[in-house]
Amino acid sequence: MLRAAQAITTFNRWTFETTKWLVYVIAALMLFEVISRYSFHNPTSWGPELATLLFGPFFLLGGPYLLHIGGHVAVDILSATARGRLRTILAVAAALLALIFGVILVRFSLPLAWQAFEYGETSYSAWNPVVWPAKMVLPLAGLLLILQSLAEVVFAIKVRTA
Amino acid sequence: MESSFVLVGMFASLIVLMLSGAGLAFVLGGIAFLATATLWGPSALIVTVLNTFETMTSEALMAIPLYVLMAAILQKSRIIDDLYTAMETWFGGVSGGLAIGTVVICTIMAAMTGVVGAAVAAMGILALPSMLSRGYHPPLALGAICAGGTLGILIPPSVVTIVYAITAQISIGQMFIAGIIPGLILAVGYCSYIWLRVTLNPKLAPKPREETTIPLSQKIASLRHLALPAFVILSVLGSIYAGIATPTEAAAVAVLGALLSAIFSGRLQLSSLNAAATDTLRVTAMILWITLGAKAFISVFVATGGADSVLSFVESLNASRYVVLLAMLLVLIFLGLFLDEIGIILLCVPVFVPIIKTLGFDPLWFGVLFMVTAQMAYITPPFGYTLFYLKGVLPNGIGIGQVYRGVIPFFLIQVVVLILFVAFPEIVTWLPEQAASRLK
C-alpha cells in the first residue's frame, strides 16, 4: 500500500516538475506576439491562442502534487492544532473530499472531452486548431487527483500507526 | 427541491467541510457539482464543465503565472540584495533610517512583484538582522517589515488585484492604476510614523556609533542597482497606462525584463530558473484550482437567485449606504482572519459587487478598499500570513508576541487610511480617470 502511494506521489511530482517549464513557453509565445505585433505590425494567428491552450494544462497538472505538499488554500484552524486520532480523521476526510472532487471532475468532463475528440472539434478562430488535447487534460488531472488523494489517505493512516 | 433550502445547505456544508482542512477548491467544487445535480439534474453539469473549459483558456488569468514568474526570477537572482545595499547607503544616517528604508524597499518590491510573501521573507532575512544588530527596538523593526511587505497587494502589478478585477468584471489595467496612489499614501504613512516615533524617542533606533559619512559619489554609484528594476516597473506600468498592451502582454514583457535584470547582475543560473518555475506553478495551481471550485459554487449561488435575495435583503434594510459598506468591510476583515485573500475574493466579490453598484458606489474604488482590508488581514494575529512568513526567520530571543505588538501601530495607520479613502473617494478614482480620459 505504502509502496503504491509513494509511486503515485513520485509520478505526480514528475508531472509537476515537467509541467512547470510550460510557463517559459507561455511567456515566450506571448512575448513573440507582442514583438511581432508592436514592432513589425504583423500579429501571428496562433501565438496567443497556443499560449491559452497551454495555460489550462499548466495549472491543472500542477494540482495533484500540490495536494501532497499541502499547497492548496485551506482553513487549517482545526487541522493544525488537532492531535492524535482527530488529526488522522481530519487528514483522511480532507483527502476524501479531494477524491470526491476528482471523481466528479472525471465523470462529467470525460464525456465532453471525448466528444471533442470524436468530432474533431476546433476552436473556430483564425488559426482553428483542434481543442481536444487541451480538454482531455481536465479528466486526466481529475484522475491524477483521485490517485494522489488515495495516496494521502494511506500516508495519513501510516503516520498514525507508525 | 426548494432552492433556498439548497442554498442554506450549501453554505452550512461549506463551513463544516472547510474545517476539515481540505483544500477549499475541492470543497467548493464538490458542493457546487452536487447542488447543481440536485437542483437541475446531472445534464446541467455540462454547463459547469464548459465554464471550467473557459477558465482554462482565459487570457486575463494567464497574467497570473507570468507576474509570479517575474517576481520569482527577481527573487531567486537576488536583485533584492542589491537594492537593500543601495538603501542602506542612502538611509543609514536618517533617524530610524533602516526601518524607513525597509518600507521603501518593500514599496519598490511591491511595484516589481506583487507577491506578498516575497517581500516579507526577503526583508526578514536581510533587514531584520541588520536592524537588530544596530539596536533597533524589535517591535518597530518587525512591524515595519510586516506592514511594508503587504504593500504588494495594492501596488501594481498585484496578483490579488488581477483576481479581484476579473471576478468583479472590471478592467485589470484600470484596477492596477487605481492602486498606485493609495499604495504610495500607505507607504508614506508608514515612513512618517517611523520617523516621528524615532524622532520623539531616539532610543528606539540608535544611529551608527561613529558618524561615517558615505561620500556622495558612492551613494550615486549604488543607485545603478535600481536601474534595472526601475526599467521593469516602468515598462509594465507604462505600457498598461498608455494602453498599448494588455496586462497579460505587459506581464510577458516583465518576464523578459526580469530575465535581463538577472543576466546583467550576473546571477542568472539554471537552478534559479528551475526554482522560479517551481514557485510559479505552486502559486498558479493554488489560485486557479480554487478559481475553478469557486466559479462553480458562485454560479449555483447566482442561478438559484441567492444573489438576488441578498440584494433585495440589503435594499429592504433601508440603512444608510455607508452602514452597508461598513458591514461589508467588517465581513472582509473578519474572513481575512482565517481565509486566504484569493478565496475571499472569489467568494465575496460576486455577492458584494452587485450590492456596491446598487448603492451607487464605484466597484473600482471598492476594490481599493478591499485591498486595504486584505492588508489588515495579512498582518492581524492570529492568522496573518505575513506573521507566518516572518516566524520562519525570527532570530532566537524574539518571540511572535513582539511581532504582534509591532504590527498594532501599522494596523491603526491602515484603519486611518481606509477611512480617508472612504471619505474622499477622489484619492482613489482620480488617477484611473486621468488614464481613461487619455485613452479616449
Side-chain angles (χ1 to χ4, degrees):
Chain A
M1 278 302 261
L2 192 62
R3 191 73 61 76
Q6 280 160 345
I8 290 169
T9 310
T10 309
F11 181 76
N12 272 332
R13 184 191 306 126
W14 181 80
T15 309
F16 182 99
E17 292 292 327
T18 313
T19 313
K20 73 181 186 189
W21 293 100
L22 275 180
V23 72
Y24 289 107
V25 180
I26 293 173
L29 283 169
M30 290 307 288
L31 201 61
F32 182 74
E33 171 68 14
V34 171
I35 293 170
S36 56
R37 173 142 36 114
Y38 294 113
S39 309
F40 304 108
H41 303 284
N42 184 22
T44 64
S45 61
W46 47 270
E49 189 170 4
L50 181 56
T52 53
L53 285 176
L54 290 176
F55 174 57
F58 170 68
F59 74 79
L60 284 173
L61 292 176
Y65 184 60
L66 207 59
L67 181 69
H68 178 69
I69 54 180
H72 284 287
V73 177
V75 177
D76 56 359
I77 310 176
L78 216 58
S79 54
T81 48
R83 291 282 170 270
R85 184 187 293 270
L86 180 64
R87 193 184 179 87
T88 312
I89 292 173
L90 284 175
V92 171
L96 289 179
L97 281 167
L99 177 92
I100 293 171
F101 185 66
V103 170
I104 294 172
L105 217 53
V106 174
R107 165 70 186 79
F108 292 101
S109 66
L110 189 59
L112 287 173
W114 181 254
Q115 212 175 18
F117 171 71
E118 256 192 335
Y119 296 109
E121 187 192 337
T122 57
S123 69
Y124 300 108
S125 65
W127 177 39
N128 207 23
V130 287
V131 293
W132 66 264
K135 288 197 169 178
M136 224 31 125
V137 173
L138 190 57
L140 176 65
L143 179 68
L144 293 177
L145 183 68
I146 294 173
L147 292 175
Q148 190 62 52
S149 50
L150 288 173
E152 294 309 309
V153 173
V154 174
F155 290 141
I157 293 170
K158 273 284 173 251
V159 167
R160 174 86 185 121
T161 49
Chain B
M1 201 186 292
E2 185 67 37
S3 65
S4 61
F5 181 73
V6 173
L7 273 182
V8 172
M10 275 173 74
F11 277 94
S13 42
L14 173 63
I15 292 166
V16 172
L17 295 177
M18 230 166 43
L19 285 175
S20 72
L24 205 53
F26 313 130
V27 176
L28 287 169
I31 295 174
F33 275 90
L34 292 180
T36 308
T38 320
L39 283 168
W40 302 290
S43 58
L45 284 166
I46 291 174
V47 182
T48 320
V49 175
L50 289 178
N51 275 336
T52 308
F53 285 141
E54 206 171 283
T55 308
M56 281 170 63
T57 52
S58 156
E59 206 239 351
L61 286 168
M62 208 163 63
I64 294 172
L66 296 178
Y67 282 120
V68 175
L69 180 65
M70 166 185 76
I73 292 173
L74 288 173
Q75 194 189 356
K76 304 292 174 202
S77 53
R78 304 204 312 278
I79 307 278
I80 316 301
D81 298 27
D82 296 340
L83 280 178
Y84 187 75
T85 319
M87 184 278 293
E88 246 179 343
T89 4
W90 278 85
F91 290 94
V94 187
S95 320
L98 292 186
I100 293 175
T102 300
V103 175
V104 172
I105 294 287
C106 285
T107 313
I108 297 173
M109 277 188 76
M112 292 195 304
T113 67
V115 184
V116 172
V120 175
M123 286 303 106
I125 295 165
L126 289 173
L128 190 60
S130 87
M131 282 195 270
L132 294 179
S133 69
R134 281 263 299 265
Y136 273 49
H137 184 52
L140 182 73
L142 294 162
I145 293 174
C146 284
T150 58
L151 286 170
I153 299 176
L154 195 53
I155 296 179
S158 146
V159 169
V160 180
T161 304
I162 297 175
V163 179
Y164 175 87
I166 293 174
T167 317
Q169 294 174 331
I170 54 180
S171 146
I172 299 177
Q174 284 283 77
M175 195 61 222
F176 271 178
I177 293 166
I180 297 176
I181 293 181
L184 291 178
I185 290 178
L186 270 171
V188 170
Y190 298 154
C191 290
S192 330
Y193 161 76
I194 295 167
W195 183 82
L196 201 68
R197 184 97 194 270
V198 174
T199 310
L200 293 175
N201 184 1
K203 263 186 277 172
L204 290 176
K207 288 194 183 183
R209 247 170 249 132
E210 60 270 30
E211 273 303 314
T212 43
T213 40
I214 297 158
L216 190 66
S217 59
Q218 197 186 328
K219 279 191 176 180
I220 295 198
S222 75
L223 283 185
R224 70 178 190 281
H225 296 306
L226 274 174
L228 282 166
F231 161 74
V232 175
I233 297 168
L234 290 178
S235 59
V236 173
L237 290 184
S239 55
I240 295 174
Y241 191 84
I244 56 172
T246 66
T248 309
E249 290 166 346
V253 177
V255 171
L256 180 68
L259 280 173
L260 290 177
S261 300
I263 291 170
F264 285 127
S265 72
R267 298 210 193 95
L268 188 74
Q269 287 163 340
L270 192 62
S271 62
S272 39
L273 288 183
N274 182 21
T278 305
D279 279 9
T280 306
L281 183 49
R282 281 174 80 144
V283 175
T284 310
M286 184 263 279
I287 296 176
L288 268 299
W289 274 80
I290 189 177
T291 305
L292 295 184
K295 271 200 164 173
F297 189 87
I298 288 297
S299 66
V300 179
F301 179 71
V302 173
T304 48
D308 294 332
S309 43
V310 170
L311 261 186
S312 53
F313 170 73
V314 171
E315 275 173 346
S316 73
L317 283 178
N318 251 336
S320 152
R321 60 182 193 153
Y322 286 97
V323 175
V324 180
L325 181 72
L326 179 71
M328 285 193 282
L329 291 178
L330 287 177
V331 168
L332 293 177
I333 295 174
F334 172 73
L335 287 176
L337 294 180
F338 54 90
L339 200 58
D340 184 85
E341 289 320 312
I342 304 290
I344 299 180
I345 291 177
L346 293 167
L347 276 182
C348 292
V349 167
V351 182
F352 283 4
V353 165
I355 300 177
I356 285 295
K357 285 186 185 151
T358 315
L359 295 174
F361 288 128
D362 182 355
L364 200 66
W365 169 76
F366 182 69
V368 170
L369 299 186
F370 180 90
M371 299 308 152
V372 179
T373 63
Q375 298 188 24
M376 293 177 174
Y378 264 89
I379 65 167
T380 339
F383 297 105
Y385 277 77
T386 57
L387 307 176
F388 293 132
Y389 291 128
L390 206 53
K391 215 156 123 188
V393 294
L394 281 184
N396 284 336
I398 293 192
I400 195 82
Q402 285 187 297
V403 184
Y404 290 168
R405 240 189 311 144
V407 298
I408 294 170
F410 292 95
F411 180 82
L412 294 177
I413 295 173
Q414 291 173 339
V415 174
V416 170
V417 169
L418 185 67
I419 295 170
L420 188 75
F421 294 161
V422 172
F424 304 101
E426 301 79 22
I427 302 174
V428 175
T429 53
W430 179 77
L431 194 61
E433 274 164 16
Q434 294 300 310
S437 62
R438 267 172 41 92
L439 291 182
K440 271 168 200 157

